Amino acid sequence: MLGMVSLAPKRLEEYRDIVGDAVIAELRELARPLRGLRVLHVNATAYGGGVAELLTALVPLMRDVGLNAEWQVIRGADEFFQVTKAMHNGLQGMPFPWSPDMWEHWLRYNLINAELFDETYDVVIIHDPQPAALAQLVGDRNGGRLGKWIWRCHIDLTDARPEVWDRLRPFVACYDGAIFTLHDYVKPDLHGPRVYTIPPAIDPLSTKNTPLPLDEVTAVLRRYRVDPERPLMVQVSRFDPWKDPLGVIAAYRLVRREVPDLQLVLVASMAHDDPEGWEFYERTARHAGEDWDIHLLSNLNGVGNREVNAFQQAAQVVVQKSLREGFGLVVTEGLWKGRPVVAGNVGGIPLQVQHRRTGFLVNSVEDCAEHVLCLLQHPELAGEMGAAGREHVRQNFLITRYLRDYLRLFRTLDECEPSPQHLGVAASVAHPTAGGEGYEQSLSAHPGRRSG
Ligand code: UDP
C-alpha cells in the first residue's frame, strides 16, 4: 500500500450557517446515488502546499456524504523529488537541462509506487505530475486498470516547456479524465481524457480559516516580535522563485519610503517535496539583510495553521506577488479574512482578485508597491474591498462548491468511455457571470481541448 493519510472527521452540517440550506441540500442530493463509491486520492505529500490543504478538507467531507474516500501519498526519495520539482518548474515554463537519467528516476519511483498499489477503487484521482505515470503503470502491471482514473492538474500549463510536457503527455493521455483549474491550462494536444475544469477552494472551518479572537492574534504577533500597533504586509508562500519573495521585499522597501514603520512578514512552509525551498530561503534571507522589520518565518519556528491565520487576520494588506500561480489558495484565504489582496496578475489569481473590487492585480514591483501604499493610506477602501472579497469567496471558493464539483464529476463517469473521435467534455467550466459574481457549471461535450 502507498502511505495512507489519516484524517480528522468533518461534518457537512457544520457548514450550513456559512453556505446556507440550499447548498447543503444540493450536496446531499448529489451524493445520494454515489453512496459507498470507493474513491482514492493520491498525491506526493500529506502536508505543505495547496494540494494537501485541499485534500485535508475534501476527503473527510466526501466520507461524511457517504463516499468511501481515502487519501494516500506516494513514496519517494530526494533524487525523485528533485526531478519532480524540476518537472513542476518546467511545466510552469522554466528552462532546465534535462538528462535521460532524470526521466528514469521519475519512472522508477512511479514503478515502485505502482507495485505498492494493491487495492481496487471505483475512482482514482492522481494529483499533479509526481505520480502521473501510475495510471499506465498500474494498468501494465495488472493487465488492465480497474475503475476510472482521473489526473488532477493543479499547475498552470500554459507555457509548459515542450521537453517536459511531451514526455508527460502520453502518461496523461491514458487517463479517463483530467481536471484543470482553468480551461486555459488545458494543452491543445492532450487527446484522450475527458477534460473537467474545477477551481480549488478553502475550508472555512479549518484552523487556518476560522476567525481568531483579537487577543490571540495579538499574542501570536508579539511571540514573533511583530508589533501589533504598526502596519503590516504579509505574504504566505513557499520560498520559491515563482512566489517572488524577493520582489515582495523590493516592493516593501518602496512603500517604506512613505510608511517608515511598515513591517513585512513572509511565512513559508518547507514542504517535503520542495528541495529548492532551502536554497531560496537563504537567498531571501540575504536579500532581507539586517532589516529587523522583515520577518522570515516558517513551520520550523512554529508557524502552523493557527499562526498563519493570525498573520493573515492581522495584515493591513495581504500580498501574493506570484509570477506564476495555478490558483493561489493563499489569496482565497486572505480574501476570506476580509483583507484586500494585492497580487500578481497571473494564473488563477484574477478569478479571485477582481481588480479594484476585491483587491489589486499587479504586474511589477512598482505596481505592487503603489497599490499596497494606496491601501495603507485609504483604510476605508481597504475595508470595502475586504468585505467584497469575503463575499466573493463565500459564493465561489469554499470547499462545499469544490465537493459539489467532484460529486457532479463522479456522476458523469459512467459516460466516460473515450469515443473514437476522442471527444472532450468540459464539466464544470468556471467563468464569471456578467455581474462578476457567481460561477456557472456547465456540462457540455465539445471536440478539442480549448474550445467550449
Ligand atoms: N501555507 C502554509 N504555511 C506556509 C506557506 C503556505 O500553511 O508557510 C499554505 C497556505 O496557507 C495555502 C497553501 O499552503 O493553504 C499554499 O497553497 P497555494 O495554492 O497558495 O500555493 P502552492 O504552494 O500550492 O503553490
Side-chain angles (χ1 to χ4, degrees), residues 47-54 88 92 128 154 200 202 208-209 235-240 242-243 266-271 274 297-299 303-305 308-309 312 320 322 324-333 337 352:
Y47 57 107
V51 180
E53 202 64 40
L54 277 164
H88 186 105
Q92 295 201 122
D128 279 340
H154 296 269
I202 57 162
K208 186 175 292 170
N209 292 317
Q235 174 162 303
V236 177
S237 265
R238 289 178 287 115
F239 286 123
D240 172 319
W242 302 108
K243 309 287 187 184
L266 292 171
V267 184
S269 71
M270 302 307 212
D274 189 17
L297 305 174
S298 83
N299 48 326
V303 178
N305 289 334
V308 167
N309 188 348
Q312 288 170 331
Q320 189 57 40
S322 304
R324 280 249 182 265
E325 191 65 74
F327 181 68
L329 283 172
V330 279
V331 172
T332 333
E333 291 161 6
K337 283 152 196 141
Q352 311 182 62

Side-chain angles (χ1 to χ4, degrees), residues 128-266:
D128 279 340
Q130 299 94 332
L134 282 182
Q136 167 141 359
L137 298 178
V138 169
D140 289 351
R141 185 169 161 264
N142 300 339
R145 272 190 333 239
L146 293 171
K148 299 291 183 190
W149 285 63
I150 312 278
W151 187 56
R152 202 316 176 201
C153 177
H154 296 269
I155 301 172
D156 174 355
L157 297 183
T158 320
D159 294 321
R161 306 286 305 175
E163 63 274 24
V164 185
W165 171 243
D166 288 347
R167 282 282 194 134
L168 183 63
R169 191 182 54 223
F171 292 100
V172 174
C174 74
Y175 279 81
D176 301 291
I179 307 174
F180 295 87
T181 292
L182 295 182
H183 205 66
D184 284 351
Y185 295 175
V186 186
K187 301 301 283 180
D189 59 356
L190 173 61
H191 302 294
R194 280 187 172 198
V195 171
Y196 301 86
T197 312
I198 302 181
I202 57 162
D203 178 6
L205 297 184
S206 69
T207 312
K208 186 175 292 170
N209 292 317
T210 38
L212 294 175
L214 190 61
D215 56 349
E216 187 173 344
V217 171
T218 308
V220 170
L221 265 62
R222 288 199 198 287
R223 191 175 343 133
Y224 291 95
R225 297 173 203 279
V226 177
D227 185 346
E229 307 300 328
R230 289 164 50 198
L232 175 63
M233 63 191 264
V234 169
Q235 174 162 303
V236 177
S237 265
R238 289 178 287 115
F239 286 123
D240 172 319
W242 302 108
K243 309 287 187 184
D244 199 19
L246 306 186
V248 178
I249 293 174
Y252 151 86
R253 288 196 170 125
L254 289 178
V255 182
R256 277 266 283 208
R257 291 182 190 162
E258 307 294 326
V259 185
D261 60 345
L262 179 65
Q263 307 167 94
L264 170 64
V265 165
L266 292 171

Side-chain angles (χ1 to χ4, degrees), residues 9 31 48 51 68 72 79 107 125 150 241 260 267-268 284 292 302 323 385 405 408 422 435 448:
V51 180
N68 194 349
Q72 296 180 11
E79 54 182 359
L107 260 182
I125 300 153
I150 312 278
V267 184
T284 312
W292 298 102
L323 304 173
M385 283 186 163
D405 287 357
R408 285 184 177 176
H422 300 298

Side-chain angles (χ1 to χ4, degrees), residues 12-13 15-28 394:
L12 184 59
E13 199 49 41
Y15 294 75
R16 189 181 289 278
D17 285 349
I18 298 171
V19 298
D21 297 340
V23 169
I24 303 294
E26 183 190 10
L27 288 170
R28 296 222 181 274
R394 199 180 68 77

